Amino acid sequence: MNITVVKVGGAVVEDEAQLQQLISDFAEIPGPKVLVHGGGRRATKVAAQLGIESRMVNGRRITDAQMLDVVTMVYGGLVNKHLVASLQAKGINAVGLTGADMNIISSHRRPPKTMTVDGEEKTVDFGFVGDVDRADGLAIASLLAQGITPVIAPLTHDGMGNMLNTNADTMAAETAKALAEEHAVSLVFSFEKAGVLADADDDTSVIPVITRDSYNDLCARGVISGGMMPKIENALDAVDAGVKKVVITLATKIASGGGTTVTR
């Protein structure tokens, strides 16, 4: 099968006009496809309404027990089911999943990590955050073969009854990599920008192609930082693992092309 995996970011999920355009474009993509979604901004908003502080380090969320409850409710419920219902309205037979459903993606709780934060070396405990151990490409492909479109929330499980918050870009990349073992897979990271920008304030400054060498150089010069770093790292890992094409682009352009192509 020729399979397309599309990841949609939380900012787009929060903007109903952009989201519905993405849903329409996604429905027009030919062949089997998978939608992986974020929802971090919605989770931050709901957490604030509940009096729960949101903490981020290098673009990644710190997930304590209270925040785990919030993200499970928001990602696996509110956001996921809205996307499934929207796809059903377009004639796409979608099913909402977390990594725990059908055991499609399992993970382990991330141990404390020593990393550079604001120029200093610090040990960071991310809490109930999962690092992926395994994605089941066969299980996901079995749904696709039945004409079912998986809509995957950024939640995994550890096999011992615990849910874990997991980066949506990582979820999309691991899903694409698992499917690429048997199929031709394209991966699209869609979000609110036209691509990876050389100037964050200039939406026309799209970097057309990024390789691992150019990525390292761009990071060293401070052109790429923050939440864009794990996105590109996931894209590079996917290409290395056999995904035939990775594109980072505007959510409303997933059907028309453009953006940044990540390649070897």
Side-chain angles (χ1 to χ4, degrees), residues 102-114:
M102 296 178 61
N103 193 26
I104 59 169
I105 305 178
S106 58
S107 66
H108 63 273
R109 179 169 169 171
R110 180 180 300 166
K113 296 181 68 173
T114 299

Side-chain angles (χ1 to χ4, degrees), residues 12 18 22 69 73 76 109 111 141 147 154 169 181 206 224 227 234 243:
V12 177
Q18 285 191 70
L22 177 130
D69 286 346
M73 290 186 291
R109 179 169 169 171
D169 291 335
E181 294 179 8
V206 175
I224 295 175
N234 277 305
V243 174

Side-chain angles (χ1 to χ4, degrees), residues 33-226:
K33 46 193 172 282
V34 178
L35 183 61
V36 181
H37 66 83
R41 296 195 183 189
R42 180 69 61 87
T44 298
K45 181 178 179 181
V46 171
Q49 292 170 337
L50 296 172
I52 299 169
E53 179 186 4
S54 294
R55 294 181 293 144
M56 307 288 288
V57 175
N58 291 357
R60 307 269 187 166
R61 184 181 298 274
I62 303 291
T63 307
D64 60 16
Q66 284 186 309
M67 186 59 71
L68 180 63
D69 286 346
V70 171
V71 298
T72 301
M73 290 186 291
V74 172
Y75 299 163
L78 181 63
V79 174
N80 188 267
K81 299 316 170 190
H82 179 50
L83 289 168
V84 169
S86 296
L87 286 168
Q88 295 290 359
K90 296 293 184 182
I92 302 295
N93 190 17
V95 62
L97 302 170
T98 69
D101 297 295
M102 296 178 61
N103 193 26
I104 59 169
I105 305 178
S106 58
S107 66
H108 63 273
R109 179 169 169 171
R110 180 180 300 166
K113 296 181 68 173
T114 299
M115 56 198 305
T116 303
V117 181
D118 298 327
E120 298 182 16
E121 290 293 309
K122 296 182 179 180
T123 298
V124 180
D125 184 352
F126 283 92
F128 295 96
V129 167
D131 286 332
V132 173
D133 293 319
R134 171 183 172 272
D136 190 342
L138 291 176
I140 298 168
S142 71
L143 294 173
L144 296 171
Q146 297 175 65
I148 299 170
T149 296
V151 180
I152 302 176
L155 297 162
T156 55
H157 74 124
D158 64 1
M160 296 180 288
N162 302 303
M163 297 298 293
L164 295 169
N165 183 17
T166 305
N167 179 268
D169 291 335
T170 301
M171 297 280 286
E174 293 297 334
T175 297
K177 286 158 63 176
L179 288 167
E181 294 179 8
E182 300 287 341
H183 307 280
V185 179
S186 297
L187 173 59
V188 180
F189 289 111
S190 68
F191 68 143
E192 69 275 14
K193 297 293 185 179
V196 181
L197 304 179
D199 179 351
D201 297 321
D202 181 2
D203 286 344
T204 67
S205 65
V206 175
I207 302 169
V209 177
I210 290 178
T211 64
R212 192 170 292 279
D213 286 345
S214 68
Y215 167 68
N216 291 334
D217 176 64
L218 290 164
C219 288
R221 292 191 286 118
V223 175
I224 295 175
S225 60

